[in-house]
Amino acid sequence: MSHEPLNLDDDGEWAGEWWLPDEPDHKVPGTLRYTSADGLALTLIGTFEDRISTTISPGGVAFHEGRRTWEVIHGAAEQREITLFGCVPNGGKRTYGARVQTPDKQTITSITGLIGAHVSGEDEVVFSAAEVSVDNLGVWGATSVFEGFWGAPRGRPDGSGTISVKPVEAQTVKADGAEFILAHRHTLPFFDQRQGGTTGRVRDTTFVRIVRETPFSWREAMRLARTVQDLIALATHRAAGVIWLRLRLAEGDVEPEPTRPQRESNVEVIYSPSKVGDHDAKVIEPHRVFFTCETLPFEEVIPRWCKVHEQLQSALNMILGLRYAPAEYIENNLLTAVGAAEVLHRGLDIDEPPMPREEFKPMREAMLTHVPEQHRERIKGSLRNDPTLRERLFALAARPDQEAMSTLVPDIDRWARRTTRARNDLAHEGRTPNHTFEELIAIVDVTTAVVILNLLHEVGLSAERQREIVKEHPQLRATARQASRHLCAPNE
């Protein structure tokens, strides 16, 4: 059995027996198959009863429309315990009165598979640690077990050289009631001898291990993995896929199976994250990364990120959504980008009412005395003491480093006014007749960049680094050109 984690972009197959937790004696043979494109599918030679029925009299049963689903299915295959969550029948074949009796067939789809444990539900607290690998995590971690040297006497390579492997000390920090560890796992040297040549290889994998002070559930494991995934997506300014997720069972959580002398403590997870990582793809170019652990140390960024991730989750989801699933129409992206800015401003808890509350309430009540009774509630709802969208945009532009912001958005006033006009026209009139298509694209990109710069500021990115990425990052540099071209006053 391989001790390597199960990559979510690899296919898998497990043949064994399967049963419902409340019917452990009714075991059905079958095969579980997984592909990243189609997910998990369990094919049974036999069936679980999926018909919905009612006993109407002794010996009489009525069957109804619809099908039964199962929260959990247990299995034993390839010398491992398996738990499936979110199981739905998706086809099958039943025969009645056939000349030759053969087993029925049934196909069941599942949203999550845990390979290595029997768990009673998604909320059962049986795990002590989680390990996750994400696209470009190695680039972000900025450390490697490899060191290289090649001989070049007098500046000319002579064909000599070495590649050495030296273990890297793990980086550890406590945050959010857990211990976060940035670690490496590498293989022993291996020589692949072929007819056409020999290749020597060692593989180094960077991953984050999260150890909670108390056991946690599968739902919490997903949240922890998402925390790491979102951090790398922000740092690299692109969708970050989960390559693999592995959990560790808490000691003494479940009694070992009598047929197995030793329980595997690692649990491989099969699920559908927002993006499945490609373990064999090329990594991102370093100049396209906003920050790494070299520019913002692991021990500093993780505590800050845990706080930001919890406080600003909604705004972060919206802005990362433009990376994971960008809409094909500019109107969708406009509402998402501007909505993220509004949500971020609210999440930062920096709202300042335009008028003191003790003055606003009496004034509103005095105004409402002149409104007919039948319209009073509607008018009352429209009289609010909240900042306008334009004021919120100005407030966001004032938080990051001002030199970086002035490079990104040379004319903040025009950007705020044109963005507000575009959002209001679209929301209230259903169209944006006062903006060109190019200007709308500039508004989306600039507003997105302002939100991202605020998030980078919140996680502690230095003013110097903010200026560098605005000037040097290819996408932000292009965004700054768009702002100069489409969102500056004509005389500028």
Side-chain angles (χ1 to χ4, degrees):
M1 184 188 304
S2 173
H3 293 285
E4 291 295 316
L6 179 62
N7 293 325
L8 291 177
D9 61 340
D10 286 340
D11 298 343
E13 182 173 299
W14 299 265
E17 293 184 321
W18 312 86
W19 62 92
L20 301 177
D22 55 353
E23 299 179 25
D25 295 330
H26 177 54
K27 292 182 170 64
V28 181
T31 301
L32 176 68
R33 294 181 176 87
Y34 168 76
T35 66
S36 58
D38 300 324
L40 288 162
L42 174 62
T43 302
L44 298 176
I45 305 176
T47 61
F48 297 136
E49 182 56 72
D50 60 359
R51 294 171 296 179
I52 301 175
S53 61
T54 302
T55 301
I56 56 178
S57 63
V61 178
F63 293 96
H64 309 286
E65 293 185 2
R67 281 184 171 182
R68 184 178 301 167
T69 61
W70 305 279
E71 293 294 329
V72 181
I73 291 178
H74 285 166
E78 312 296 335
Q79 293 78 52
R80 304 293 299 272
E81 300 95 336
I82 298 178
T83 299
L84 302 178
F85 291 144
C87 304
V88 178
N90 192 38
K93 183 178 180 181
R94 293 177 181 269
T95 57
Y96 303 94
R99 183 176 60 85
V100 177
Q101 293 294 328
T102 58
D104 294 331
K105 291 183 179 180
Q106 187 177 49
T107 301
I108 298 172
T109 60
S110 172
I111 60 174
T112 303
L114 304 181
I115 313 299
H118 284 157
V119 181
S120 63
E122 295 183 350
D123 296 314
E124 185 182 7
V125 289
V126 294
F127 303 110
S128 62
E131 294 180 352
V132 60
S133 178
V134 177
D135 288 341
N136 297 304
L137 183 61
V139 175
W140 177 77
T143 57
S144 175
V145 302
F146 296 116
E147 290 183 356
F149 166 80
W150 59 89
R154 298 179 182 178
R156 294 185 177 183
D158 62 359
S160 65
T162 60
I163 297 177
S164 61
V165 177
K166 182 179 180 180
V168 176
E169 184 178 353
Q171 302 177 57
T172 303
V173 65
K174 289 188 176 181
D176 193 25
E179 188 177 45
F180 288 77
I181 305 165
L182 181 64
H184 290 256
R185 181 185 292 120
H186 63 85
T187 63
L188 294 174
F190 171 73
F191 296 96
D192 187 9
Q193 295 183 319
R194 302 296 178 96
Q195 296 287 1
T198 300
T199 302
R201 63 177 68 149
V202 177
R203 186 171 63 253
D204 173 36
T205 300
T206 306
F207 63 95
V208 174
R209 179 186 297 118
I210 308 168
V211 182
R212 288 293 302 268
E213 298 174 355
T214 57
F216 56 90
S217 67
W218 159 240
R219 289 188 189 274
E220 178 65 8
M222 281 197 298
R223 187 189 72 82
L224 295 172
R226 178 67 181 274
T227 300
V228 177
Q229 183 185 11
D230 287 350
L231 172 60
I232 305 307
L234 176 66
T236 59
H237 196 41
R238 62 178 56 198
V242 176
I243 298 176
W244 54 261
L245 174 60
R246 169 183 277 181
L247 307 179
R248 182 173 291 274
L249 286 168
E251 294 183 3
D253 60 311
V254 181
E255 291 297 324
E257 296 285 343
T259 57
R260 292 193 53 197
Q262 185 176 2
R263 167 180 286 277
E264 293 283 349
S265 59
N266 288 330
V267 178
E268 311 299 339
V269 179
I270 301 175
Y271 75 121
S272 297
S274 50
K275 182 178 184 293
V276 173
D278 185 350
H279 78 281
D280 205 32
K282 292 286 187 180
V283 298
I284 187 175
E285 300 91 340
H287 68 281
R288 294 183 177 272
V289 179
F290 287 153
F291 67 92
T292 67
C293 289
E294 191 173 21
T295 53
L296 191 56
F298 182 79
E299 295 82 359
E300 296 180 15
V301 69
I302 290 297
R304 294 172 182 169
W305 175 247
C306 289
K307 180 180 178 181
V308 168
H309 194 261
E310 180 180 1
Q311 180 183 358
L312 306 175
Q313 180 72 73
S314 297
L316 185 67
N317 289 345
M318 297 174 73
I319 215 66
L320 291 182
L322 294 174
R323 296 289 166 265
Y324 284 98
E328 296 183 3
Y329 298 98
I330 190 64
E331 291 82 1
N332 299 75
N333 291 332
L334 172 65
L335 294 178
T336 300
V338 178
E342 286 191 287
V343 173
L344 175 65
H345 184 269
R346 294 178 185 275
L348 290 170
D349 197 23
I350 57 175
D351 277 2
E352 293 185 6
M355 183 180 299
R357 291 182 175 85
E358 60 274 12
E359 296 180 12
F360 173 76
K361 187 174 180 180
M363 184 189 69
R364 183 177 62 177
E365 295 301 325
M367 294 172 64
L368 290 175
T369 59
H370 301 282
V371 178
E373 181 67 30
Q374 64 271 28
H375 302 302
R376 190 165 296 171
E377 284 301 317
R378 185 171 65 86
I379 299 299
K380 182 179 180 179
S382 63
L383 296 174
R384 303 178 63 181
N385 192 25
D386 293 334
T388 64
L389 172 58
R390 183 182 174 189
E391 291 169 337
R392 295 183 190 277
L393 295 177
F394 266 105
L396 291 179
R399 292 181 68 80
D401 176 71
Q402 289 306 287
E403 183 178 331
M405 185 58 65
S406 63
T407 302
L408 179 65
V409 194
D411 190 341
I412 292 176
D413 179 71
R414 185 171 176 82
W415 160 68
R417 285 189 291 107
R418 298 300 291 170
T419 299
T420 301
R421 179 70 179 273
R423 195 289 304 268
N424 290 344
D425 285 351
L426 182 60
H428 303 307
E429 299 181 21
R431 57 196 184 98
T432 54
N434 301 295
H435 296 72
T436 65
F437 183 73
E438 291 75 15
E439 187 182 18
L440 291 177
I441 294 177
I443 287 173
V444 170
D445 291 344
V446 171
T447 305
T448 300
V450 170
V451 172
I452 290 173
L453 209 58
N454 270 271
L455 292 170
L456 296 177
H457 173 75
E458 290 301 312
V459 297
L461 201 65
S462 67
E464 181 181 1
R465 183 56 188 160
Q466 291 179 42
R467 297 167 195 166
E468 288 177 356
I469 63 175
V470 169
K471 295 176 182 178
E472 299 173 6
H473 190 278
Q475 193 164 351
L476 264 64
R477 196 168 63 239
T479 299
R481 288 197 298 268
Q482 287 178 295
S484 298
R485 186 177 300 117
H486 301 290
L487 295 174
C488 283
N491 60 350
E492 296 181 9

